[in-house]
Amino acid sequence: MTRPHRTQTQTHAQTQGESTMRGPAARVLAAVLVAALGAPAAAAEAPQGKPRTERVSTASDGAQLDRGSLNAAVSADGRYVAFATKASLFRGCEQQTYVCLAVKDRATGELTRIEGGGGLDWGPPVLSGDGRYVGHTAGTKGPSAHVYDRAAGKSTFVASAARIQAITPDGRYVLYVSGDDRFVTDRYVYVRDMVTGTAERVEGDESTTRFGAAALSADGRFVAYQEKGAGPEGDDVFVEDRTTGERVRADEGLGNSDRGFVRISGDGRRVLFVAGGRTYQYDVRGRTARQIADTPARSASGDARYVVLAAGTDGEQADGEQADAEQLVLLDVRTGRRTALAPGETRAGAVTVTADGRRVVFTSTASDLVPDDTNGTSDVFVRRVR
């Protein structure tokens, strides 16, 4: 189906929301995590191939933060981790339901606050490949999308009544959903060119159509998104070529899709999505979808090879171990290998993967993943799996 040419615009609108800071405590798979103990936050990487777990929601001197941290994102090389926190280290973060946005440099240990990056918890940020650009949603009354340039030390406003969804590896294109006011922020899907300052409406109108998760290819050409209540099966997943305007449905015949997760590979050839509680991979060129897991995906690497699954209580196995109810599992789609990670927050967007699939960033309330975790709240961790 070919869509008509779209007009360009530069502003929009939005809504409001909150999330809880703490989740239920979960058990740890001892056999998987025994090698994870004993690593300070600012330490250098472990020797090649040795798994380890590192807490990154720490102060610049390595001290643990006194209040919870969540909603983390990692740069492609694993060096920078951006996350939301209520730590009193940053003035005002501990007030009411507000959070602040901070970036951890894992090479130096430095923790830096992004000014203007806080407000209510609107969801996780997104990082460019090298971690220079941080896309985030901020606001105390309604959400607005911004991109912070760490090198220049300045923030660029993207759109009002909008929630950030993705940013390309070079930081040029930003994907977001927006609405007409702060109460409705999911009526349109937009891509903004940060160089020219123009924004293109990919999909959406003033009808009752709403959108869920969305993803962007590395060159900004292909957009995958979830359209709520689009057809008789409920929520559907579509892939759109911004150059030709062609739009195809990826989840045909697979039932209601999970509006919290959609990913597209950097080359725009593969789309990952969840339907009926199962994870599928759609071949954009071949127009076919195949199931790759019986449990829902929560994140994936940029090339869509490595997928983080939220293993449930249905007996899903991970490297021969029985998966815990809150267990995160890393799946190598190419080889089929599964690696248990750790108990953690299993909401879509609450966990991210580096480009090579070697490191996974997640949030957990478990207190025994690293030594001296005594703050009694949620923290952000990096798990190196190999």
Side-chain angles (χ1 to χ4, degrees):
M1 175 177 179
T2 300
R3 317 293 279 185
H5 179 72
R6 308 174 199 84
T7 58
Q8 292 182 331
T9 185
Q10 289 183 297
T11 59
H12 321 291
Q14 48 217 285
T15 157
Q16 201 171 47
E18 317 178 13
S19 68
T20 56
M21 182 62 62
R22 300 185 53 139
R27 299 186 300 273
V28 182
L29 290 180
V32 177
L33 300 177
V34 67
L37 304 178
E45 289 284 5
Q48 184 77 7
K50 184 178 180 181
R52 67 189 289 259
T53 300
E54 168 192 331
R55 180 166 56 170
V56 295
S57 54
T58 57
S60 297
D61 61 2
Q64 65 182 351
L65 301 180
D66 60 347
R67 288 179 172 83
S69 301
L70 77 168
N71 282 341
V74 64
S75 59
D77 61 1
R79 174 169 177 173
Y80 298 100
V81 179
F83 59 90
T85 182
K86 289 189 67 64
S88 60
L89 174 68
F90 301 127
R91 185 176 181 181
C93 298
E94 75 283 2
Q95 296 179 3
Q96 303 180 45
T97 57
Y98 298 158
V99 294
C100 292
L101 183 62
V103 176
K104 184 74 168 183
D105 182 340
R106 296 180 56 239
T108 66
E110 182 180 9
L111 181 69
T112 306
R113 178 180 182 175
I114 294 181
E115 295 297 334
L120 296 175
D121 174 20
W122 301 109
V126 292
L127 273 69
S128 61
D130 61 1
R132 172 175 175 173
Y133 299 100
V134 182
H136 61 94
T137 306
T140 57
K141 294 182 178 180
S144 58
H146 305 260
V147 173
Y148 181 77
D149 183 341
R150 295 179 50 257
K154 68 176 184 178
S155 182
T156 300
F157 173 81
V158 175
S160 60
R163 295 173 184 252
I164 206 87
Q165 297 286 316
I167 188 169
T168 52
D170 60 3
R172 174 165 183 171
Y173 297 101
V174 175
L175 176 69
Y176 59 95
V177 294
S178 69
D180 302 312
D181 55 51
R182 68 189 181 95
F183 300 106
V184 180
T185 62
D186 56 358
R187 197 181 296 281
Y188 314 104
V189 178
Y190 278 91
V191 173
R192 178 180 173 118
D193 186 330
M194 300 301 292
V195 173
T196 65
T198 58
E200 177 186 296
R201 184 187 297 183
V202 177
E203 200 59 57
D205 52 40
E206 296 179 357
S207 69
T208 57
T209 301
R210 301 290 181 84
F211 297 93
L216 190 63
S217 63
D219 60 1
R221 174 174 175 174
F222 295 94
V223 180
Y225 56 87
Q226 194 268 348
E227 190 171 318
K228 303 176 185 178
E233 293 181 303
D235 300 339
D236 292 329
V237 176
F238 294 92
V239 186
E240 189 152 344
D241 184 335
R242 293 177 55 227
T243 299
T244 66
E246 183 180 28
R247 184 175 91 147
V248 295
R249 182 180 168 190
D251 63 342
E252 186 77 42
L254 298 176
N256 192 43
S257 67
D258 181 345
R259 64 186 58 175
F261 175 81
V262 173
R263 292 290 188 278
I264 189 167
S265 60
D267 58 12
R269 296 182 180 181
R270 295 172 299 283
V271 175
L272 298 170
F273 62 91
V274 176
R278 298 178 174 87
T279 302
Y280 295 86
Q281 183 184 77
Y282 178 75
D283 183 332
V284 177
R285 290 183 174 179
R287 305 290 176 89
T288 58
R290 68 182 181 95
Q291 181 180 320
I292 60 173
D294 291 329
T295 52
R298 292 304 182 227
S299 187
S301 58
D303 60 359
R305 173 176 175 175
Y306 300 98
V307 180
V308 176
L309 305 173
T313 56
D314 60 353
E316 184 72 16
Q317 300 292 313
D319 284 2
E321 296 285 346
Q322 182 71 26
D324 192 61
E326 293 261 322
Q327 189 70 27
L328 298 173
V329 175
L330 183 67
L331 168 68
D332 183 333
V333 177
R334 185 178 300 173
T335 66
R337 176 182 173 84
R338 293 169 183 259
T339 304
L341 298 173
E345 170 60 67
T346 57
R347 284 180 305 141
V351 56
T352 55
V353 192
T354 57
D356 57 8
R358 292 182 177 179
R359 304 170 192 85
V360 178
V361 175
F362 61 95
T363 301
S364 180
T365 56
S367 61
D368 53 357
L369 301 184
V370 296
D372 304 318
D373 186 348
T374 59
N375 60 6
T377 188
S378 58
D379 281 302
V380 175
F381 299 88
V382 172
R383 174 67 177 172
R384 177 163 184 160
V385 297
R386 68 183 194 282

